[in-house]
């Protein structure tokens, strides 16, 4: 398939909107990661998304809207806490799960009677959805299992030749996917940590819990109980190990590991920029916010540089750290060393 590379001009966005309206696939920037979009009203287009990504068909898509009015057209009743979250954080890096209306076909929600909805902040994303004239179903625009794309070159690498068009919208500001909150159970539940933190949500007076699968993944280096969590996600080809703890101890441990592995091409993802020898060093940034922005891109870069094993420092625990740690642990398929 011929893939068009489009820019963020009015004309190009109009063209992208037309492609989506006519059942095609367009990758587009959002403030979190690039999405792979199709009309959320078109079951055949949804199927094409699964094929292009190699995504298992039991994994539902997020429906992207460009206004609260459009949101209300695809969901059933909006509970009070969800309304609070919409008021405070939409548009923004958050996704809410609500009961769906029948206009959203089963192919989009993988047969569930609920739908995940996101109103992105990114201006290009908003313009595209407006031009398409329909809500846009979109997962992250990576091959299934690979790190989510945060730069247009990542999308081109994974999707060129597989989809109709890619809008080049520069780098994504947040860098990890949206926070997902499920409002269809007894109490709102964070299913995936992201750009809007648990503290942000508590601060607007909304009561939420954090899914125990996230916490199990974070709190233990043993095999997690939830079967779905055992699969590698966001994984580069290189084998990633997270080294976690106080800064100095983390650095010493990684130095030791580099010595043990001196015959392998090794990389270090650092927060502090320590003086590691014999390793490709990439800087994640000194805060978790920066770490989030750089993480997926760095994982892809290690592969490009031919690095075989990566040691990722993790030293900071703050509200934003949960989103970073969640992706790191998955990229590392649970190889975590606590020091
Ligand atoms: O920031 C983001 O959320 C990005 C951008 C493109 O918007 N999208 C994204 O989509 O990360 P994806 O498909 O990579 O991740 C969506 C997650 C999946 O883990 C899926 O299982 C979950 O959302 N999900 C979607 N609909 C759901 C539903 N009705 N119930 C439970 N989980 C759902
Ligand atoms: Mg994804």
């Amino acid at each position: 398939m011929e893939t068009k590379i489009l820019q963020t001009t009015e004309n190009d966005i109009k063209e992208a909107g037309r492609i989506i309206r006519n059942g095609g696939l367009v990758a587009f920037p959002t403030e979190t990661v690039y999405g792979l979009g199709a009309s959320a009203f078109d079951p055949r287009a949804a199927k094409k998304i699964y094929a292009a990504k190699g995504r298992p068909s039991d994994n539902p898509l997020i429906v992207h809207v460009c206004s609260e009015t459009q949101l209300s057209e695809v969901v059933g009743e909006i509970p009070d806490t969800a309304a609070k979250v919409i008021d405070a954080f939409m548009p923004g890096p958050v996704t809410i799960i609500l009961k769906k209306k029948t206009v959203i076909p089963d192919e989009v929600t993988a047969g569930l009677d609920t739908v995940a909805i996101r109103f992105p902040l990114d201006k290009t994303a908003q313009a595209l959805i407006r031009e398409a004239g329909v809500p846009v179903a979109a997962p992250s625009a990576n091959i299934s299992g690979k790190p989510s794309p945060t730069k247009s070159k990542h999308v081109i690498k994974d999707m060129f030749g597989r989809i109709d068009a890619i809008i080049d919208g520069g780098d994504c500001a947040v860098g990890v996917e949206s926070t997902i909150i499920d409002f269809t159970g007894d109490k709102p539940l964070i299913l995936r940590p992201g750009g809007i933190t648990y503290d942000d949500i508590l601060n607007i007076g909304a009561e939420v819990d954090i899914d125990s699968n996230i916490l199990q993944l974070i709190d233990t280096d043993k095999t997690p109980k939830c079967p779905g969590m055992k699969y590698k996600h966001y994984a580069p080809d290189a084998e990633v190990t997270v080294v976690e703890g106080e800064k100095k101890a983390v650095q010493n441990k990684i130095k030791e590991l580099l010595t043990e592995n001196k015959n392998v091409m090794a990389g270090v993802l650092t927060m502090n920029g320590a003086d590691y020898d014999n390793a490709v060093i990439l800087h994640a940034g000194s805060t978790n916010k920066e770490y989030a922005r750089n993480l997926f891109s760095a994982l892809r870069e290690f592969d490009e540089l031919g690095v075989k094993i990566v040691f990722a420092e993790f030293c900071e625990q703050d509200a934003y750290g949960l989103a970073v740690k969640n992706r790191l642990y998955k990229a590392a398929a649970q190889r975590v060393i606590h020091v």
Side-chain angles (χ1 to χ4, degrees), residues 281-302:
I281 297 170
L282 294 180
H283 290 262
S286 53
T287 64
N288 281 320
K289 215 165 195 162
E290 289 169 3
Y291 208 135
R293 190 179 306 138
N294 296 321
L295 173 61
F296 288 143
S297 180
L299 293 177
R300 283 175 178 262
E301 202 175 330
F302 281 125

Side-chain angles (χ1 to χ4, degrees), residues 32-33 55 62 93-95 97 118 138-140 148 176-182 189-196 201 209-211 214 229 234 322-323 326-327 330:
T32 56
V33 302
R55 180 180 177 103
I62 295 177
V94 67
T95 293
I97 296 176
R118 178 154 131 69
S140 49
S148 294
V176 292
E177 306 86 344
S178 60
T179 305
I180 300 181
I181 314 171
D182 184 359
L189 193 62
I190 297 177
L191 299 183
R192 179 174 76 184
I196 299 296
I201 300 164
D209 285 337
I210 302 180
D211 185 17
I214 297 171
M229 289 290 189
Y234 317 115
L322 191 62
N326 174 260
R327 274 47 168 210
K330 287 192 175 193

Side-chain angles (χ1 to χ4, degrees), residues 104-123:
I104 301 292
D106 284 347
E107 284 77 1
V108 168
T109 61
L112 298 175
D113 62 354
T114 60
V115 62
I117 302 281
R118 178 154 131 69
F119 179 178
L121 184 62
D122 184 276
K123 291 296 167 213

Side-chain angles (χ1 to χ4, degrees), residues 26 31 117 128 227:
V26 177
E31 70 277 20
I117 302 281
L128 173 68

